[in-house]
């Protein structure tokens, strides 16, 4: 790279011409150019080069010279080194360019080599195989510069911190219409993960180290560190997390390139202190005398504890329950093992509840845990009055495919009156649940789905008031066509098998109707009725919904929908209750707001308004 060359240096020329584009005075008049004689992609590049010229700042001769110079530079990156440019000035701010591009420079020699440990690393070989230029092709600068950046980016990403280009040349001979391209990349050794040190942690160090997705001595990969950083942040134990390699390599001392450095390198060295920089030539001399033999790279983890007590207050409204309040008290850590405790108070007219969750994380705290849940709930709605207390012990697993499996044992005491019949029951029953929720983006999903299946069983053998088997299943889907057409579908099923339904408390029976069930009907107003015409709850349940939304403008959407469902005592109901209607969606800063008006098909003159805030699932 240091020797003299007689031929045109394409890279240096491009940088020289690009400098004026960055120094345009505020308020400059853009020069309009009409261009003929070149392909569309070349014309677009010329327009980019000319758009910041302020014609008022140039004399006529100098302006034409500037236009010609920039046009030639814009064409060189596509291999046109000897164009003939005819300039006709139409007005003070508008010119016409008639260009005879001339022959394209062709690649005579193309030599790309990777030495060092990266010579056998598949991503480097794939980068060479994907390089779009071959000998005999027309020269284009962009792929060549992209390959250079790709090599340096891969090196930093994959732990080749002593990398360098032993040769990187683009020799262009315009008079022969030929170019010679040489790129020799020496990666040096690949570094491995070394000792991990943790500072600032209030959680036991060994617990954090067990969360590492790497082992000491395995090849370094920046993405692995990013995953570790994200996992530590998601525990909720810390207010800030930083996972960085401790870089003490030759590349850390070199002068940063004019562009400011590769993003991977900037990310990898962000935590390192500023150090004096030396020239590449001086560095080469030092490296010849002092070579690093230890290729294990220490990893520094720095964390700060999260607030031990966190509070949240929420206010909302829905036509199902009216105004609603929520108070949350979260303790993301209560001891050095990372145990957490959350409490939640929910208040609305038909329902009030207080719940708590004590979480004991296991080896992988994001995926595996024991949980103790407890709560009290009071319900007074329609023909249901109930006071319920519940305690549940659960074991939770989250698998690599995002499915969550929960095995639990629940005990419930419920003092209730349903449809005029009162009772008190105590139940002890195990259950298992599988669920998965996927959405993107989170605030207003344009793609997503939710699946849930639960199985529960109770028996009088171990003291429960009733013997039953209960199953519930739900699936919801969101899909879009383009950016303006959004489709939602939902299906829900439920069934209880028992010989003594009167002993089943209201919290386990099925009721249908409302904002998130069958619109057009009031909240949980659909179920079988007793002799007095009061709701008694159903042994089975089926609901379905389909909805189409169309973006009107910005964050406003129009919607049309049809819901169908019912709760009943025997499968195969004669007719499901159906409602249909239209609505408006607004993606507000506090979440989606939905306003619907729905008509129940079995009440010709009835209409019902539904309003709610929050995501679909």
């Amino acid at each position: 790279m240091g020797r003299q060359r007689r031929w045109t240096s394409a890279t240096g020329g491009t940088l020289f011409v690009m400098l004026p584009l960055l120094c345009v005075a505020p308020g400059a008049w853009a020069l309009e150019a009409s261009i003929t004689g070149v392909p569309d992609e070349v014309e677009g590049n010329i327009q980019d080069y000319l758009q910041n010229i302020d014609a008022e700042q140039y004399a006529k001769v100098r302006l034409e010279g500037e236009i010609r110079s920039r046009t030639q530079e814009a064409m060189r990156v596509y291999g046109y080194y000897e164009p003939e440019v005819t300039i006709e000035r139409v007005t003070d701010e508008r010119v016409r360019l008639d260009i005879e591009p001339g022959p394209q420079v062709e690649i005579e020699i193309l030599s790309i080599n990777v030495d060092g440990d990266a010579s056998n690393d598949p991503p480097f070989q794939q980068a060479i195989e994907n390089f779009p230029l071959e000998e005999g092709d027309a020269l284009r600068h962009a792929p060549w510069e992209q390959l250079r950046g790709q090599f340096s980016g891969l090196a930093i990403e994959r732990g080749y911190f002593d990398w360098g280009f032993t040769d990187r040349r683009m020799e262009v001979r315009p008079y022969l219409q030929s170019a010679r391209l040489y790129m020799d990349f020496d990666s040096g050794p690949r570094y491995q993960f070394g000792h991990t040190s943790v500072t600032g942690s209030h959680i036991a160090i060994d617990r954090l180290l067990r969360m590492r997705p790497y082992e000491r001595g395995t090849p370094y990969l920046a993405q692995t560190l990013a995953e570790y950083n994200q996992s530590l942040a998601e525990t909720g134990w810390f207010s800030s997390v930083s996972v960085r390699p401790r870089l003490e390599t030759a590349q850390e001392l070199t002068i940063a390139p004019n562009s400011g450095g590769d993003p991977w390198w900037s990310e990898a060295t962000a935590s390192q202190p500023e150090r004096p920089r030396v020239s590449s030539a001086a560095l080469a001399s030092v490296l010849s005398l002092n070579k690093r033999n230890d290729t294990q790279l220490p990893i520094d983890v720095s964390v700060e504890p999260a607030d031990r007590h966190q509070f949240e207050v929420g206010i909302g409204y829905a036509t199902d329950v009216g105004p609603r309040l929520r108070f949350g008290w979260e303790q993301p850590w209560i001891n050095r093992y990372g145990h957490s405790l959350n409490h939640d108070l929910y208040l609305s007219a038909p329902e009030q509840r207080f719940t708590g969750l004590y979480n004991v994380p296991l080896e992988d705290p994001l995926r595996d845990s024991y949980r103790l849940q407890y709560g009290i709930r009071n319900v007074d709605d329609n023909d249901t009055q109930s006071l319920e207390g519940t305690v549940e012990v659960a074991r939770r697993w989250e698998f690599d495919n995002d499915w969550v499996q929960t095995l639990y044992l629940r005990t419930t005491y419920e003092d209730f009156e349903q449809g005029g019949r009162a009772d008190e029951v105590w139940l002890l029953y195990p259950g298992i649940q599988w669920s998965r929720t996927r959405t993107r983006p989170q605030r207003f999903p344009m793609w997503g789905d939710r699946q849930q299946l639960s199985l529960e069983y109770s028996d009088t053998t171990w003291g429960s008031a009733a013997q039953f088997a209960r199953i519930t299943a739900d699936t919801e889907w969101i899909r879009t066509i383009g950016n303006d057409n959004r489709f939602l579908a939902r299906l829900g099923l439920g069934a209880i098998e028992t010989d003594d339904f009167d002993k089943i408390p209201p919290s386990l029976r099925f009721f249908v109707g409302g904002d998130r069930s069958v619109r057009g009907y009031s909240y949980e107003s659909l179920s079988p009725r007793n002799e007095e015409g009061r709701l008694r709850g159903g042994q089975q349940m089926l609901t379905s919904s389909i909805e189409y939304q169309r973006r009107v403008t910005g964050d406003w959407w129009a919607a049309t929908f049809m819901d169908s469902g019912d709760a009943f005592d025997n499968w195969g109901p004669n007719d499901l209750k159906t409602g249909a209607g239209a609505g408006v969606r607004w993606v507000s800063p506090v979440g989606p707001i939905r306003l619907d008006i729905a008509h129940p098909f079995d009440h010709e003159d009835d209409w019902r308004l539904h309003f709610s805030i929050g995501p679909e699932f």
Side-chain angles (χ1 to χ4, degrees), residues 525-564:
S525 62
L526 300 179
S527 88
R529 297 178 180 267
N530 58 21
E531 295 82 358
E532 292 83 22
R534 297 181 178 181
L535 298 173
R536 62 185 298 269
Q539 290 187 239
Q540 287 91 34
M541 176 269 294
L542 171 64
T543 61
S544 63
S545 176
I546 186 168
E547 181 172 325
Y548 167 67
Q549 298 175 4
R550 172 73 180 179
R551 188 193 303 270
V552 178
T553 180
D555 291 331
W556 290 89
W557 298 69
T560 182
F561 58 86
M562 177 177 289
D563 300 339
S564 187

Side-chain angles (χ1 to χ4, degrees), residues 13-26 28 31 44-54 58 66-67 69-71 73-74:
T14 300
L15 290 175
F16 177 80
V17 174
M18 284 298 292
L19 288 176
L21 300 179
L22 305 177
C23 306
V24 179
L31 182 71
N45 201 45
I46 295 173
Q47 294 281 11
D48 290 340
Y49 271 66
L50 298 180
Q51 65 178 353
N52 290 322
I53 293 180
D54 182 2
Y58 294 86
E66 183 72 11
I67 293 173
S69 175
R70 294 198 186 192
T71 300
E73 286 298 328

Side-chain angles (χ1 to χ4, degrees), residues 215-463:
E215 297 291 338
R216 183 170 182 172
T218 56
Y220 175 90
L221 191 62
Q223 180 62 30
T224 303
L225 284 190
E227 292 172 359
Y228 188 27
N229 196 106
Q230 181 177 356
S231 296
L232 292 175
E234 288 179 353
T235 61
W237 297 333
F238 310 108
S239 61
S240 68
V241 177
S242 174
V243 180
R244 302 288 185 183
R246 192 185 305 162
L247 297 173
E248 298 173 348
T249 66
Q251 283 289 351
E252 190 183 7
L253 302 175
T254 58
I255 296 176
N258 293 333
S259 62
D262 184 271
W264 279 102
W265 181 251
S266 300
E267 176 69 16
T269 61
S271 65
Q272 304 301 315
E274 286 292 328
R275 304 186 182 186
R277 301 283 179 174
V278 299
S279 68
S280 299
L283 179 65
S285 299
V286 174
L287 292 179
S288 65
L289 300 174
N290 181 22
K291 290 186 179 293
R292 180 186 177 106
N293 294 319
D294 182 12
T295 57
Q296 286 205 350
L297 192 63
I299 305 300
D300 293 328
V301 179
S302 176
V303 297
E304 294 183 8
D307 292 338
R308 193 165 188 173
H309 299 278
Q310 300 175 12
F311 301 92
E312 182 180 1
V313 178
I315 302 175
Y317 179 87
T319 49
D320 282 350
V321 298
R324 54 191 180 189
L325 299 175
R326 176 182 173 272
F327 301 91
W329 173 26
E330 181 178 358
Q331 296 174 267
W333 58 275
I334 60 175
N335 56 32
R336 64 191 301 267
Y337 303 107
H339 296 188
S340 62
L341 181 61
N342 302 327
H343 287 103
D344 191 271
L345 176 64
Y346 172 87
L347 301 173
S348 69
E351 179 182 353
Q352 307 84 45
R353 64 174 181 264
F354 176 78
T355 58
L357 170 63
Y358 187 88
N359 187 69
V360 180
L362 300 179
E363 184 169 350
D364 187 344
L366 298 179
R367 293 180 177 270
D368 302 318
S369 63
Y370 286 108
R371 295 186 170 191
L372 172 64
Q373 293 182 271
Y374 47 90
I376 299 175
R377 186 176 76 143
N378 180 69
V379 177
D380 186 356
D381 182 49
N382 291 330
D383 297 324
T384 303
Q385 291 82 40
S386 170
L387 180 61
E388 171 193 0
T390 299
V391 177
E392 175 184 297
V393 178
R395 172 69 165 91
R396 181 183 183 275
W397 299 264
E398 182 174 340
F399 305 114
D400 291 338
N401 58 6
D402 296 330
W403 280 93
V404 176
Q405 175 179 279
T406 305
L407 184 65
Y408 56 89
L409 178 65
R410 182 180 299 161
T411 178
T412 297
Y413 172 80
E414 192 161 346
D415 182 357
F416 67 91
E417 180 179 341
Q418 182 64 55
R421 301 193 60 173
D423 205 343
E424 299 179 24
V425 297
W426 178 82
L427 301 173
L428 177 65
Y429 55 97
I432 187 170
Q433 181 184 89
W434 297 275
S435 63
R436 182 179 69 177
T437 300
R438 303 179 296 176
T439 59
R440 58 175 187 260
Q442 191 74 30
R443 180 163 160 254
F444 187 68
M446 302 299 287
W447 181 96
D449 53 67
R450 184 183 73 85
Q451 327 296 334
Q452 179 267 318
L453 173 65
S454 298
L455 303 173
E456 298 167 334
Y457 180 75
S458 175
D459 201 304
T460 55
T461 303
W462 52 67

